[in-house]
Amino acid sequence: MADLNLKDLLPKVKAPEDFEERVLEKIRERKKARKKYFLIALRIIQRPSIMLASALMVLLILGIIFWPQIYNSQEKPEKIASSRADRFGRVEPSILSLIEPVDFLRDFADSPAKRVIYILETVNENFIPGVKY
Amino acid sequence: MDEQELMEQIKQGNEMALATLMKIYKDRLVNFLFHAVGDYERAVDLAQETFVRVYFRAHQYRPVGPVGAWIFTIASNLAKSEAKKRSKVNFVSLEEVTSELGSEGVSYDPPTTGLSRNLEQALNKLPAYYRIPLLLKDVEGFSQEEIAQMLGRPVGTIKARISRARHLLRRQLENALKGGK
């Protein structure tokens, strides 16, 4: 606006006489208010119930943050089994029938020498071809 | 003591240093805010709030630019917020009007000359995003680069806004002159 000089044409206003005093007064008021709020906050924080609640809140937050790590570090037995199964090839959980012909007289004759104790339990009086484990 | 030294003193909580800084800038600031918000009492309040912020945020000041530009940045932000508030709520209660009429110590006399009055009215009709850069440029004499930094906008945007503001102002003045004839 080359032909219109805003600086000269616009009316000029001045600050009131007590401008500085009012600003300094506002600053003092605000300082007081800040101090007051700080003390109120401090008193609230120092209350036992608030402290307890805060501590529980902190524990809860820590629990939420660290729970997945703790959970993953404690591997479940099923997980271990499945990981082993994975290692040796996938095995479907089932009952396997095994035929194990055992000659008691021969196979267990030297057991006292081996210092091995076999605890045997009769599961069937009759001969069965499959042994269930 | 120069302005940078005054700022260092204010950082340490020296109220006398702030009073000295206020003496330098208070009239310019009140004048700028008056034209930015169009209300003398509100302009004085905002100017006072500006200096309160200068005092409490002195630690944020970095001596890379002039102190004046920093003070006007705070004032411009306050003026923008005020304009936003006014655009949302645009009514005045009757009690306020009565109290304003009866208030004393107002150091503002409305302009009597036609052109000044028309110019003031035209300026008040401009949106804040045109008015504030225009005032900073044409009344306060800041450069476009400084204004861009103060308002946090690209220089191109500021140039465009100042140009558009001048165009709108000229058009409104022409309309006022046509209407007056």
Side-chain angles (χ1 to χ4, degrees):
Chain A
M1 197 168 285
D3 52 336
L4 209 60
N5 191 343
L6 280 184
K7 197 175 182 178
D8 294 336
L9 285 170
L10 281 173
K12 282 189 178 60
V13 292
K14 286 189 172 182
E17 294 285 312
D18 59 343
F19 186 86
E20 287 96 332
E21 287 82 54
R22 276 159 68 182
V23 171
L24 294 175
E25 203 176 302
K26 275 187 183 180
I27 287 171
R28 278 169 213 141
E29 276 171 18
R30 218 162 282 187
K31 272 183 185 173
K32 266 187 201 170
R34 278 184 175 195
K35 204 175 173 182
K36 194 178 151 190
Y37 289 136
F38 176 74
L39 288 172
I40 290 169
L42 202 68
R43 257 180 241 151
I44 291 169
I45 289 166
Q46 281 176 341
R47 278 184 194 166
S49 56
I50 300 288
M51 282 174 83
L52 187 69
S54 308
L56 286 173
M57 189 67 84
V58 168
L59 283 174
L60 187 72
I61 291 164
L62 287 175
I64 290 166
I65 293 167
F66 292 111
W67 176 247
Q69 292 171 20
I70 296 164
Y71 185 77
N72 289 335
S73 68
Q74 294 174 344
E75 263 190 308
K76 285 184 174 179
E78 304 94 74
K79 268 194 174 179
I80 295 166
S82 67
S83 68
R84 280 180 187 166
D86 288 340
R87 215 179 296 153
F88 296 110
R90 193 83 194 154
V91 178
E92 289 299 320
S94 60
I95 297 165
L96 294 175
S97 296
L98 297 172
I99 299 166
E100 280 193 32
V102 175
D103 186 348
F104 284 99
L105 287 173
R106 199 188 64 210
D107 292 337
F108 296 96
D110 57 347
S111 57
K114 286 181 182 171
R115 300 179 67 82
V116 178
I117 299 165
Y118 291 93
I119 301 166
L120 301 170
E121 187 184 351
T122 310
V123 289
N124 202 327
E125 291 294 331
N126 304 317
F127 173 78
I128 48 164
V131 180
K132 283 189 177 179
Y133 286 94
Chain B
M1 200 185 282
D2 72 353
E3 290 179 4
Q4 301 287 350
E5 285 172 19
L6 282 175
M7 280 308 297
E8 284 303 315
Q9 294 285 318
I10 294 167
K11 273 182 197 176
Q12 289 160 21
N14 188 339
E15 289 181 2
M16 290 313 292
L18 182 74
T20 312
L21 197 70
M22 279 194 275
K23 276 199 181 81
I24 301 168
Y25 284 103
K26 65 175 183 179
D27 287 336
R28 264 181 77 188
L29 210 57
V30 169
N31 191 51
F32 162 71
L33 286 164
F34 168 67
H35 293 305
V37 299
D39 176 349
Y40 179 76
E41 285 297 315
R42 196 71 197 115
V44 171
D45 279 347
L46 292 177
Q48 286 173 350
E49 181 58 31
T50 304
F51 283 114
V52 171
R53 288 190 185 190
V54 165
Y55 182 80
F56 285 110
R57 295 180 187 182
H59 61 279
Q60 290 177 6
Y61 171 71
R62 298 283 169 270
V64 285
V67 176
W70 186 61
I71 294 173
F72 272 89
T73 304
I74 298 172
S76 303
N77 287 334
L78 286 171
K80 273 197 282 183
S81 306
E82 181 69 16
K84 247 184 214 173
K85 268 188 225 166
R86 280 175 181 236
S87 66
K88 281 178 189 167
V89 184
N90 201 14
F91 55 86
V92 182
S93 74
L94 283 171
E95 286 171 8
E96 273 179 30
V97 172
T98 319
S99 67
E100 271 182 25
L101 287 170
S103 65
E104 288 175 10
V106 177
S107 316
Y108 169 62
D109 296 317
T112 47
T113 62
L115 184 60
S116 286
R117 200 173 50 239
N118 286 340
L119 192 62
E120 203 183 350
Q121 283 171 356
L123 195 67
N124 285 335
K125 279 180 190 168
L126 286 181
Y129 52 86
Y130 287 144
R131 193 166 59 228
I132 292 170
L134 182 72
L135 288 169
L136 288 170
K137 180 81 182 79
D138 287 355
V139 180
E140 296 306 325
F142 289 106
S143 69
Q144 286 171 335
E145 287 74 20
E146 279 176 322
I147 298 166
Q149 213 169 3
M150 285 159 82
L151 301 178
R153 293 271 182 269
V155 182
T157 308
I158 295 301
K159 277 184 187 174
R161 284 187 183 177
I162 290 170
S163 169
R164 180 89 179 127
R166 285 172 179 164
H167 172 74
L168 286 171
L169 207 59
R170 199 178 290 130
R171 210 169 62 185
Q172 282 185 21
L173 279 174
E174 281 168 5
N175 288 343
L177 286 171
K178 276 178 200 168
K181 277 179 187 175

